[in-house]
Amino acid sequence: MKKRQIFAALVAALTLAFAACDKPNNNDPNGGEVNNDPIERVIVYTVGQTENRQTLETEGEWDALLDMLCTQAQNGQTVTFFNMDQTTYYQHKEKNGTKAAKTFSTTNRDEMKAWMKKMEEEGRTVVVTYSNGTWNGMAYSSAPPATVSGDIVGTWHFVCSVVSHIDQNGSLAGSDLYVPEDGGGSMYYTFLNDGTLTLTFNAMDGTIATDNSTWTLSGDGELCSDLLPSGACWNVNWITDNTMIMSRSDLGTEEGDLLYQLQFEKE
């Protein structure tokens, strides 16, 4: 019973957070007219198998990154991106929208970039390829279950939990961050093929505690386990061999809308 109480306290603490866990250095766009409207995005993206993160301060930098991704797709790479900063797209988020993936194809580069921007505004992960003169895009709120079930197996270091508080006027009222290492400990989630899950907590004094449960994937890609914060189900927004990002929201609470995010690194 005592061990269960310890883990209940740890998992409950994970809900006390919001912020991008790190702020990578941004690259300056090259050439072209730059729109210097100040709006920050923290974009995680892959070109082929290479993963990167970039902090963008203006719309001009965002446009330049999208242009680069379109070029990389045209050069034969599969490109994927996701905006980790949920507050950026909150005003456009489809609160009651479908989670079904959206697709788009065009031979026009500007039309492709406009669609990519729209999908980012909806908080979706975007995948773009190019073939026979046509850009093809697919955007989702949760990664396809087949992708998650294959990539999630293994041990993940829990990096941080983040939560943003959006007031009744739709403005950011405050943010919090929870990082296990700040308290001197570390946490790891081990997902197995058979649907079992182990949570391991390494305490500052060297002691190790574990708890076990199960994990499941819903048909629309939500990952659920009672070892995740609040025993909730989470959208898997991003999963690679290196990084997993999950999110969920509580809308219309007494505190306003709450946006949650978990970030992990693969061991």
Side-chain angles (χ1 to χ4, degrees), residues 107-220:
T107 59
N108 185 293
R109 186 189 193 94
D110 289 337
E111 288 181 357
M112 190 69 225
K113 287 172 60 180
W115 181 81
M116 294 162 74
K117 288 180 178 181
K118 185 175 186 298
M119 294 302 98
E120 180 269 340
E121 289 177 351
E122 294 181 7
R124 295 176 180 268
T125 302
V126 180
V127 183
V128 177
T129 59
Y130 183 89
S131 178
N132 298 321
T134 300
W135 281 276
N136 301 289
M138 188 265 287
Y140 54 78
S141 296
S142 281
T147 299
V148 177
S149 60
D151 290 347
I152 196 173
V153 172
T155 298
W156 294 86
H157 172 217
F158 173 72
V159 177
C160 68
S161 175
V162 293
V163 63
S164 61
H165 306 258
I166 309 298
D167 65 22
Q168 301 295 340
N169 297 318
S171 301
L172 179 64
S175 61
D176 304 289
L177 169 66
Y178 172 78
V179 180
E181 276 76 3
D182 286 350
S186 59
M187 297 178 68
Y188 297 85
Y189 284 81
T190 300
F191 295 83
L192 298 182
N193 269 318
D194 61 4
T196 57
L197 174 63
T198 299
L199 173 58
T200 302
F201 178 73
N202 301 309
M204 183 172 55
D205 62 3
T207 60
I208 300 175
T210 62
D211 201 359
N212 299 286
S213 187
T214 59
W215 64 276
T216 61
L217 278 175
S218 68
D220 58 7

